[in-house]
Amino acid sequence: MTTSGRSTATTITGWGMVLSGAATVTAALWAFSPYPPLIPELALAGVTVLLAAGWVVASYRARDPLGKPYADAGARGPNPALPYVFAFGVPVSALAALLLVFTPGSAYGRETERLERAGYGEYEVAVVRLAGVPEFHPRTQDDDPYYLTDLTLRIPFEDRPREVTVSGMYTRDEPPVPGTKVDVYFAPRDPGTRVAENAERAEARVFVSWVFAIWVWPWFLIAGGIAKSYMEASDLHRLRRFRPRVHLPALGILLTGLALLLPMALEFQVAGRDRLLAFLASLTPVAALVWVVRTRH
């Protein structure tokens, strides 16, 4: 069964393209792969590209897709989901690409996983003795008075406790004495890991995700809401019928964005750049939408 410019194949490939694209964006937003190579995200993106190509081919093969005027919505009318797909899909896709800019490197990621397996974290331990003369820092406009002291600490590693000297431990008000409890970072199952006062390994991507969730996500949702108010389902319904002048450049822009993300996703550089290319990729969903809006009639 076919209609003007539409067929079962165009419907399947078109919605498949949308759904696989949404799955790709979701995987990127949730950091399904914590560090490169981003294989699941790339696999989903590859499926989206194949379905997009299939949609183009199916549209060309549909019954007289370019010669007849568009047949209006028909008995079922325009799909009410289309304005939401365009209005919110574009800013969310841009945000997903932007978050990839902050993906940590694979070396950092593997080291973080190793430390997690070793139980790395902050623990309270006892001071055995002072390993140097406490250095007093008086109160300033920005800081309270404090001491910096080299301390020998008793670290309870799982195989056996060890004494480790840590330089420049920070204490408030008074210098520490033997028996004082202080907080340090170490890995109980890996005595070879450095013991340090301030060595928390915060995932940059996770931190940025929280920052985006609090300060950026609302603006993207507001932008989607504003865009939705200007979109009519009947107008967008016409975009389901393939037109080379409208759709091929838009798909080309999105494919360019995907290509710009490859250096970050696979951890290689092009002309010494990878994060800058990922940032440029975050602009392509908006650019594609602008092209479609300007050429839809």
Side-chain angles (χ1 to χ4, degrees), residues 21-33:
T24 304
V25 171
T26 301
L29 286 174
W30 284 99
F32 190 84
S33 299

Side-chain angles (χ1 to χ4, degrees), residues 260-274:
L260 291 173
L261 289 174
L262 288 179
M264 278 297 302
L266 296 176
E267 201 170 34
F268 68 90
Q269 292 189 337
V270 176
R273 299 287 186 269
D274 52 4

Side-chain angles (χ1 to χ4, degrees), residues 151-290:
L151 299 176
T152 298
L153 308 175
R154 185 175 180 83
I155 307 299
F157 292 109
E158 288 192 356
D159 59 347
R160 61 181 177 83
R162 289 179 172 84
E163 292 186 0
V164 177
T165 299
V166 180
S167 302
M169 291 289 296
Y170 169 93
T171 53
R172 291 278 302 276
D173 301 328
E174 297 180 356
V177 296
T180 300
K181 297 290 187 177
V182 296
D183 293 325
V184 291
Y185 287 87
F186 66 95
R189 292 186 288 278
D190 185 1
T193 300
R194 186 172 71 97
V195 178
E197 181 182 21
N198 296 302
E200 184 177 7
R201 296 176 65 85
E203 280 284 358
R205 177 68 182 277
V206 173
F207 172 75
V208 170
S209 296
W210 278 104
V211 172
F212 271 52
I214 296 172
W215 299 108
V216 180
W217 259 109
W219 293 106
F220 276 79
L221 296 178
I222 290 171
I226 293 174
K228 165 65 176 61
S229 66
Y230 286 96
M231 293 183 178
E232 295 291 338
S234 57
D235 290 337
L236 293 175
H237 193 63
R238 299 175 182 275
L239 294 176
R240 297 179 66 179
R241 181 171 184 263
F242 175 71
R243 287 186 291 163
R245 186 174 69 92
V246 176
H247 293 95
L248 289 182
L251 291 173
I253 292 171
L254 295 176
L255 187 60
T256 299
L258 178 60
L260 291 173
L261 289 174
L262 288 179
M264 278 297 302
L266 296 176
E267 201 170 34
F268 68 90
Q269 292 189 337
V270 176
R273 299 287 186 269
D274 52 4
R275 298 186 188 275
L276 175 61
L277 299 179
F279 172 75
L280 294 176
S282 70
L283 305 177
T284 56
V286 178
L289 178 62
V290 170

Side-chain angles (χ1 to χ4, degrees), residues 7 11 13 30 43 48 62 71 78 119 125 131 150 188 191 203 210-211 280 292-293:
S7 67
T11 300
T13 55
W30 284 99
T48 304
V125 300
D150 296 344
E203 280 284 358
W210 278 104
V211 172
L280 294 176
V292 168
V293 171

